[in-house]
Every structure is written in structure tokens, then in C-alpha cells.
């Protein structure tokens, strides 16, 4: 059996929530997502600190760039994604991502001013980003797996 539960004959093995294969896939996804998150943070910091963008708008741009990159990398390597219809799969994932990013950006916009009372604006934006990331990571894994296959 190959990575992501795919067998050599093209038939996927069934995975359950507690499956070691699913946990291994999540670990690989989390690693790639962590690299994507660093890209996301760098773009977010540049747009908010140097570009003067509000966190809401900056997060939409930075998160969209990172999410699209992570999906393209993990589609085959983590999720054993199906061949064909790549543009449709990417479009579906980006549509999902936009919805999640809008929700996360709104949460960041609400959190950042409260956090800025105890720290700098730049640090508050990054802390707000850190707070909204864990639930996004889990949702992104599940949805990208569904769309990739």
C-alpha cells in the first residue's frame, strides 16, 4: 500500500478516523501547511506592517496564496488525489478557502485590537492569526482530502 491509503492497483484502502494512515496523512499535511503558514505570515506581515493594509484584507491575500500552494502540493503527495479535473478541484478548494478565510479574517479583525492593548499592532495581528489557525488546519485537511480524491 502506498502513501495516503492508495494501493498500487489503484484501489484505495478504506481509512477510518483512527487509522494510522489517516494520522500519517494529517502529519504530512500539517508539515506542508506549516511551511504554507510561514509564507502566509510573511505576506501578512509585509502587507500590514509595510503596506498599511488592514488585517482583514491582508489575511485574504496572504491566506489565499498559501492555501492554494498547500493544496497543489498536498493533492497528490498527501491525499493520493485523483487525476484529471485539476482546475475544477483547485477552484472548488479555493472557493471553500475563501469562505474560511473570510470567517478567519473577520475573527482576526475583532481579535487584533483587543490584543493590541497588550502589545504592538504587528504582534497583535500575528497573535490573532495564531489563534484562528488550529481550527482552520483541521478543516483544511478534511476538505482538501475530500476535494483531492
Amino acid at each position: 500500500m502506498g502513501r495516503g491509503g492508495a494501493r498500487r492497483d489503484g484501489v484505495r484502502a478504506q481509512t477510518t478516523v483512527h487509522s494510522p494512515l489517516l494520522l500519517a496523512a494529517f502529519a504530512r499535511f500539517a508539515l506542508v501547511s506549516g511551511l504554507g503558514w510561514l509564507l502566509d505570515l510573511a505576506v501578512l506581515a509585509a502587507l500590514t506592517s509595510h503596506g498599511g493594509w488592514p488585517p482583514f484584507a491582508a489575511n485574504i491575500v496572504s491566506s489565499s496564496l498559501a492555501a492554494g500552494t498547500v493544496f497543489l502540493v498536498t493533492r497528490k503527495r498527501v491525499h493520493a488525489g485523483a487525476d484529471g479535473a485539476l482546475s475544477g478541484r483547485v477552484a472548488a478548494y479555493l472557493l471553500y478557502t475563501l469562505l474560511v478565510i473570510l470567517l478567519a479574517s473577520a475573527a482576526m479583525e475583532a481579535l487584533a485590537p483587543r490584543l493590541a492593548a497588550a502589545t504592538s499592532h504587528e504582534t497583535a495581528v500575528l497573535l490573532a492569526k495564531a489563534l484562528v489557525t488550529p481550527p482552520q488546519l483541521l478543516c483544511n485537511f478534511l476538505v482538501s482530502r475530500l476535494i483531492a480524491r
Side-chain angles (χ1 to χ4, degrees):
M1 204 175 311
R3 291 193 304 175
R7 295 191 332 209
R8 288 185 188 194
D9 63 4
V11 178
R12 284 193 190 90
Q14 296 298 317
T15 56
T16 63
V17 173
H18 298 95
S19 167
L21 292 174
L22 188 59
L23 293 175
F26 179 74
R28 289 191 307 273
F29 183 84
L31 177 66
V32 175
S33 291
L35 296 173
W37 198 68
L38 293 175
L39 170 66
D40 186 349
L41 283 181
V43 173
L44 179 66
L47 293 175
T48 57
S49 296
H50 304 296
W53 288 42
F56 185 89
N59 190 58
I60 290 171
V61 172
S62 67
S63 293
S64 296
L65 176 64
T69 302
V70 168
F71 180 76
L72 289 173
V73 170
T74 62
R75 185 182 75 82
K76 283 286 225 184
R77 296 174 186 217
V78 172
H79 300 306
D83 290 326
L86 178 60
S87 61
R89 292 175 193 279
V90 170
Y93 188 70
L94 289 178
L95 183 61
Y96 151 78
T97 297
L98 181 59
L99 175 64
V100 170
I101 290 169
L102 289 172
L103 293 171
S105 298
M108 284 179 60
E109 192 77 15
L111 287 169
R114 289 173 176 81
L115 295 169
T119 187
S120 70
H121 172 72
E122 293 81 11
T123 302
V125 170
L126 297 180
L127 285 173
K129 179 72 170 178
L131 290 171
V132 302
T133 296
Q136 276 186 279
L137 175 64
L138 180 58
C139 290
N140 290 351
F141 171 72
L142 296 171
V143 172
S144 67
R145 188 169 186 83
L146 177 71
I147 291 172
R149 294 177 152 214

